[in-house]
Amino acid sequence: MLLPGHHDSAWLHPGCESARVTDIDYYLEIARSAEQGMLDSVFIADALWHKPRSNYCAGLEPLTVLSSLALGTEHIGLIATASTSYYEPFHLARMFASLDHISGGRVGWNIVVSNSVNEARNFNRSAMLPHQQRYDRADEFLTVANRLWESWDEDAVIRDRASGHYTDPDRIHRVDHQGEYFKVRGPLNIQRSPQSRPFLVQAGASEAGRSFAARHADAVFTVQENVRDGARFRTEMRRRAAANGRTVKVLPGLIPIVGSTQAEADAKKHELTGMQAVDYALEHISMMLNVDITDCPVDAPFPVERLPPADSIQGNRTTYELITGLARREGTTVGDIIAHQGFGRGHLVVAGTPERIADVIETWVREGAADGFNVMPAVFPVGLTDFVSEVVPLLQKRGLFRTEYGETLLRRRYE
């Protein structure tokens, strides 16, 4: 859930309610719509946008939103983004444990390591940690957080009125962690939550990110544009997870644009592309590539000669690789890159009838390219409403999707 939508120009769309991005009732309406469609979870993305003039950049803090959504929904999972680069393990472990209690075991954490120098400058730093160090810190962070979540045994609370003992101290354990990045005594000051720990999601596709996901994540959000690459990535992640004695679900991003006909869907897609703010797009792509392309005309060939080497990128390497791969194709213009990036930074975009979108989803699942999808509506709320009302019933008829919620705990729902 990236309000007002996953397209750069979503807030300009007449079907978008961008004036409500700080209205908690709006978040609740979206979550309830997703719950009505039997979706597994809602996911609240979070980022610090570098140029607020031409795009939405200021929403509610995700963990705060989850506490409200937990009370306003009954079944749907609730996932929020939080960074290991700027939180402390004790704080974050306590907050997610609290949310897991509040939601009855429905909370999840999208783990990010942060890749913006502008974000670093808000947290007493003048620069980001180097790429590998960010993942080293994240790895230690998860080690500490897991030990904190496990610091209370399930039967630690005894509430023995006769003895006057609320807990059994022998069932509550100190962490006593001393590492390169953190020193944490423990134990956590909240008892074990329904899931013990939150459902864990990760999205980095670099070598460090894949290794991290294989060690820690229950699911991976990934950017894949075709079945072949999706199947290759899923196979690799399943192999890496198995080597760590674990399993992992792979969920490619999907931006569905629903039309009653193919022509109508194509027109909707074209309309969004036509709304893009070129100055914003050029500035954003320049930041992602660590090179200035703001002087380039949109109809000019993309200046591949300006591209820096991959090993010099300390930001989002996944996006860097996607953009540079497209830029090196013969005939690619700057405008092509802008249009491509406008739709969710390279995620799979399917514009078509409900039947076509359901066909694509079925093909990816049947071909082993996806365990499910991270559905990313281009515009809220209309994009979600269209998907839930038009596509989900077709998937249910094909036996590809649930017709009622079963398992309460979010982690078990993904098993």
Side-chain angles (χ1 to χ4, degrees):
M1 186 192 302
L2 180 61
L3 299 181
H6 288 272
H7 191 275
D8 278 352
S9 59
W11 73 275
L12 293 168
H13 192 277
C16 179
E17 300 181 25
S18 60
R20 301 182 65 196
V21 294
T22 55
D23 178 359
I24 192 60
D25 287 334
Y26 184 43
Y27 289 80
L28 280 165
E29 289 167 16
I30 291 173
R32 287 166 179 161
S33 176
E35 188 170 67
Q36 184 178 5
M38 302 289 171
L39 303 191
D40 287 303
S41 56
V42 291
F43 158 48
I44 302 178
D46 194 30
L48 179 70
W49 302 115
H50 63 301
K51 294 291 183 181
R53 181 180 62 183
S54 301
N55 206 339
Y56 156 83
C57 65
L60 299 178
E61 191 281 316
L63 295 179
T64 307
V65 172
L66 286 200
S67 63
S68 293
L69 299 188
L71 298 178
T73 58
E74 297 181 36
H75 305 288
I76 197 161
L78 307 168
I79 302 173
T81 298
S83 174
T84 58
S85 296
Y86 305 119
Y87 276 100
E88 288 289 321
F90 192 93
H91 284 140
L92 205 59
R94 186 186 186 197
M95 285 188 280
F96 273 110
S98 298
L99 286 166
D100 205 45
H101 280 290
I102 294 169
S103 66
R106 295 184 286 134
V107 76
W109 173 19
N110 176 48
I111 307 163
V112 298
V113 299
S114 295
N115 54 33
S116 167
V117 67
N118 291 327
E119 189 171 1
R121 289 167 180 162
N122 287 327
F123 292 93
N124 201 36
R125 298 180 186 179
S126 58
M128 298 180 293
L129 288 173
H131 186 267
Q132 185 59 52
Q133 286 187 36
R134 296 202 301 275
Y135 276 104
D136 290 343
R137 176 186 166 99
D139 199 64
E140 186 177 335
F141 193 115
L142 264 292
T143 297
V144 176
N146 279 315
R147 292 183 63 188
L148 287 167
W149 286 319
E150 296 169 357
S151 61
W152 288 60
D153 293 345
E154 291 183 4
D155 57 355
V157 178
I158 58 176
R159 298 188 189 91
D160 187 343
R161 288 185 171 88
S163 66
H165 293 165
Y166 187 83
T167 64
D168 180 349
D170 293 335
R171 302 175 194 177
I172 303 174
H173 313 285
R174 283 171 53 171
V175 171
D176 288 328
H177 174 88
Q178 293 194 27
E180 182 177 357
Y181 297 97
F182 305 108
K183 294 181 179 180
V184 181
R185 180 179 183 273
L188 201 61
N189 58 342
I190 183 172
Q191 64 199 60
R192 187 176 290 233
S193 71
Q195 292 186 108
S196 296
R197 64 165 176 80
F199 180 72
L200 300 177
V201 185
Q202 196 268 347
S206 66
E207 174 60 31
R210 297 182 194 202
S211 295
F212 179 85
R215 291 191 299 274
H216 298 290
D218 300 304
V220 174
F221 291 152
T222 180
V223 180
Q224 304 294 332
E225 292 189 288
N226 60 70
V227 171
R228 183 189 62 187
D229 291 343
R232 184 183 298 120
F233 179 82
R234 179 173 176 267
T235 298
E236 179 193 348
M237 288 309 307
R238 287 162 64 90
R239 175 186 58 78
R240 286 179 181 244
N244 286 274
R246 308 180 64 256
T247 60
V248 65
K249 300 295 185 184
V250 175
L251 310 173
L254 170 66
I255 300 178
I257 302 175
V258 184
S260 58
T261 64
Q262 185 63 49
E264 180 184 328
D266 290 340
K268 287 182 177 181
K269 181 180 178 182
H270 182 72
E271 179 185 22
L272 282 166
T273 298
M275 292 178 180
Q276 280 185 267
V278 173
D279 60 342
Y280 169 83
L282 290 174
E283 289 167 348
H284 189 81
I285 294 169
S286 295
M287 180 190 71
M288 290 293 184
L289 297 181
N290 195 29
V291 64
D292 186 8
I293 64 165
T294 56
D295 61 334
C296 295
V298 295
D299 56 353
F302 191 89
V304 293
E305 68 280 0
R306 298 190 192 181
L307 293 174
D311 58 9
S312 71
I313 300 298
Q314 294 300 323
N316 190 319
R317 291 192 181 181
T318 302
T319 301
Y320 168 86
E321 291 170 2
L322 285 168
I323 296 176
T324 55
L326 180 61
R328 289 192 172 97
R329 296 176 190 173
E330 186 175 355
T332 300
T333 67
V334 173
D336 293 332
I337 300 294
I338 290 174
H340 181 268
Q341 283 298 101
F343 282 98
R345 313 294 181 261
H347 288 281
L348 175 66
V349 180
V350 183
T353 62
E355 291 77 11
R356 177 169 183 259
I357 294 171
D359 287 344
V360 170
I361 290 173
E362 182 170 5
T363 298
W364 278 63
V365 173
R366 301 290 189 210
E367 295 296 321
D371 294 297
F373 287 89
N374 178 21
V375 179
M376 305 165 61
V379 179
F380 279 107
V382 293
L384 177 62
T385 302
D386 288 346
F387 183 82
V388 165
S389 63
E390 301 292 337
V391 180
V392 167
L394 294 177
L395 297 174
Q396 291 171 330
K397 288 179 181 178
R398 299 182 189 191
L400 295 172
F401 199 64
R402 70 170 63 86
T403 56
E404 62 181 13
Y405 283 107
E407 177 57 54
T408 300
L409 300 183
L410 182 59
R411 282 173 58 198
R412 292 182 184 170
R413 192 178 297 163
Y414 280 85
E415 289 178 351

